[in-house]
Amino acid sequence: MFQKNVSLQPFHTFGIDVKTESFAPFHSQREFKSLFAQAAPPIFILGGGSNILFTQDFKGTVLKNNIRTKRIGKSIQNQTLVHIGAGVNWHQFVRWAIRRNLGGVENLSLIPGTVGAAPIQNIGAYGVELKDVFAQAKCIVIKPLDHHGQHYLPGDFLTVSRDEAQFGYRHSIFKSALKGKVVIVQVSLLLTNKNHIIHTDYGAISKELAARKIKKPTIQDVSDAIIAIRESKLPNPKKIGNSGSFFKNPYVPIKKYQELKEKYPNIPAYPIDDNTVKLAAGWLIQEAGWKGYRDGDAGCYDKQALVLVNYGQAKGEEIWQLAQKIQNSVKKKFGLLIEPEVNIL
Ligand SMILES: Cc1cc2nc3c(=O)[nH]c(=O)nc-3n(C[C@H](O)[C@H](O)[C@H](O)COP(=O)(O)OP(=O)(O)OC[C@H]3O[C@@H](n4cnc5c(N)ncnc54)[C@H](O)[C@@H]3O)c2cc1C
């Protein structure tokens, strides 16, 4: 049932001390429907709280997703469907899959949060994105909506397939047309059960595997290597509050990139297509002089400028002000707008 005036500090990775007027966890689709019918609006769906910055107390009801079912479905040739409850911890799911020799998500090891939130921003790391394995998401509608010519009312079920999900870089239909209108209750993913496709060509994976003297890596080896790399680079939210990358990497037209390259010959860039290049927001922030900056308990992490951190007692508003200062200074120096990846509340 609902608890009143609950601190959200233990339920999100920035560790900001904010409260919600009302709070309830749900453990099944049925329990969600019943709580949703009684909850005082506005309603906010919370997963692992690893992609949120609370800048103020929440005046409404937070419903926390704790649906933790896992089911192995059909296999067709070398692929197996799995159906995972949206409240399952993402990394625990990855390790569960690896133990069952199911591949495709090992490069996404150690990303915090829940399975249900993974399609929302199409989580990605080390050359793999959620979209590469996504089959469909089962949702419950929470606000009336039209989808493919059909009208849905609160309480209705809606299934979103891979073709409908409009995946892009840190983007999906759940961040546009379906934003705030559905809760994802189950995600189905298509994993390999043999002949796994091993991706080791991104970042420091091959270097880490070589240091471990592994020549023919298994999915477990790739996962272990990525865990080690991530642990050495990213702050552990249990020790230093953060939400991972605070900003998205900007996509720019080739012409803009060429102008910048003349001025900054070392600027890192990743080609996206013939006309577009992805730049590294972390590099831009670092060059603008913010890496390691600290004001009170709000800071820009000293090992990775893309991560903003709460060293202890920072208020959400202070982190947000720092983020805006960084945004403005990158805009001034490079003429580029870096947009937050984190949801600001
Ligand atoms: C240390 C660290 C490293 C990270 N590394 C990466 C990385 O490498 N790649 C990457 O892509 N991300 C990364 N992230 C970001 C984060 O882990 C992902 O965005 C993750 O998917 C968020 O999941 P969550 O359950 O915590 O979502 P939350 O933060 O709880 O919610 C995020 C948003 O999704 C909504 N939401 C959550 N669950 C549901 C649901 N079931 N139905 C409908 N809406 C829902 C919420 O309302 C909110 O708007 C990192 C974060 C941290 C702290």
Side-chain angles (χ1 to χ4, degrees):
M1 256 306 132
F2 298 98
Q3 298 160 255
K4 299 293 169 197
N5 270 326
V6 174
S7 168
L8 290 172
Q9 202 168 24
F11 299 115
H12 70 112
T13 59
F14 247 125
I16 310 278
D17 193 12
V18 282
K19 284 198 174 107
T20 173
E21 278 181 358
S22 181
F23 177 90
F26 57 97
H27 304 82
S28 66
Q29 299 174 17
R30 183 191 290 213
E31 192 180 12
F32 173 78
K33 282 195 180 189
S34 142
L35 288 169
F36 176 72
Q38 302 165 61
I43 290 167
F44 183 75
I45 310 296
L46 183 64
S50 63
N51 202 20
I52 300 175
L53 175 65
F54 288 102
T55 59
Q56 53 189 309
D57 288 341
F58 187 71
K59 294 183 178 55
T61 306
V62 170
L63 295 178
K64 169 143 174 53
N65 192 337
N66 283 348
I67 302 179
R68 298 209 176 109
T69 49
K70 293 192 202 89
R71 188 163 63 81
I72 297 188
K74 276 189 200 159
S75 291
I76 304 163
Q77 294 175 342
N78 70 330
Q79 290 190 305
T80 297
L81 261 177
V82 292
H83 309 283
I84 311 297
V88 170
N89 171 275
W90 173 262
H91 179 65
Q92 279 168 16
F93 156 66
V94 170
R95 298 301 282 190
W96 174 89
I98 291 169
R99 282 197 300 278
R100 282 155 186 80
N101 191 34
L102 295 172
V105 285
E106 55 283 356
N107 287 47
L108 304 177
S109 293
L110 216 61
I111 297 184
T114 52
V115 168
I120 296 177
Q121 72 153 4
N122 180 25
I123 57 167
Y126 294 93
V128 171
E129 289 182 321
L130 196 271
K131 73 170 169 50
D132 302 332
V133 291
F134 181 87
Q136 63 178 43
K138 182 179 178 190
C139 310
I140 298 176
V141 172
I142 56 177
K143 276 198 187 137
L145 64 94
D146 292 306
H147 185 67
H148 289 284
Q150 216 174 317
H151 191 62
Y152 292 84
L153 293 171
D156 288 347
F157 284 103
L158 167 69
T159 299
V160 177
S161 69
R162 188 177 194 273
D163 291 344
E164 295 167 330
Q166 297 171 12
F167 287 123
Y169 166 63
R170 299 296 178 272
H171 187 76
S172 73
I173 193 169
F174 303 107
K175 288 188 91 175
S176 51
L178 296 182
K179 188 176 166 75
K181 294 190 172 167
V182 298
V183 54
I184 298 174
V185 288
Q186 182 179 280
V187 177
S188 302
L189 302 174
L190 198 51
L191 303 178
T192 49
N193 53 40
K194 59 181 172 207
N195 304 335
H196 303 300
I197 302 161
I198 303 284
H199 299 276
T200 58
D201 46 354
Y202 201 95
I205 309 176
S206 42
K207 205 168 143 202
E208 179 67 29
L209 289 168
R212 291 164 181 240
K213 301 196 173 17
I214 295 169
K215 288 201 177 97
K216 277 192 119 194
T218 61
I219 52 176
Q220 164 99 48
D221 295 329
V222 173
S223 173
D224 291 345
I226 286 173
I227 291 172
I229 299 167
R230 290 182 68 105
E231 280 178 338
S232 71
K233 274 191 173 175
L234 290 169
N236 179 347
K238 287 194 181 123
K239 295 186 183 143
I240 304 177
N242 75 91
S243 255
S245 305
F246 196 91
F247 296 99
K248 290 193 269 193
N249 291 317
Y251 280 36
V252 300
I254 285 271
K255 193 160 173 282
K256 174 74 185 169
Y257 164 64
Q258 283 161 346
E259 278 166 32
L260 288 170
K261 175 101 179 138
E262 271 195 20
K263 217 165 160 197
Y264 308 98
N266 297 332
I267 188 166
Y270 311 90
I272 298 296
D273 56 39
D274 290 351
N275 305 311
T276 319
V277 163
K278 180 166 88 172
L279 301 180
W283 186 88
L284 300 170
I285 296 168
Q286 183 179 325
E287 289 299 301
W290 292 98
K291 195 175 181 184
Y293 175 89
R294 178 169 176 172
D295 182 4
D297 274 350
C300 179
Y301 193 51
D302 55 2
K303 289 192 198 138
Q304 167 53 276
L306 195 47
V307 179
L308 300 192
V309 289
N310 169 14
Y311 284 107
Q313 304 299 320
K315 295 197 167 24
E317 190 53 38
E318 290 167 344
I319 305 268
W320 182 223
Q321 275 167 15
L322 172 61
Q324 286 169 300
K325 280 187 199 161
I326 292 175
Q327 225 177 8
N328 289 338
S329 101
V330 167
K331 176 98 186 132
K332 207 167 156 201
K333 189 171 170 78
F334 300 102
L336 287 175
L337 177 68
I338 48 168
E339 292 181 65
E341 175 181 314
V342 171
N343 297 278
I344 315 294
L345 246 82

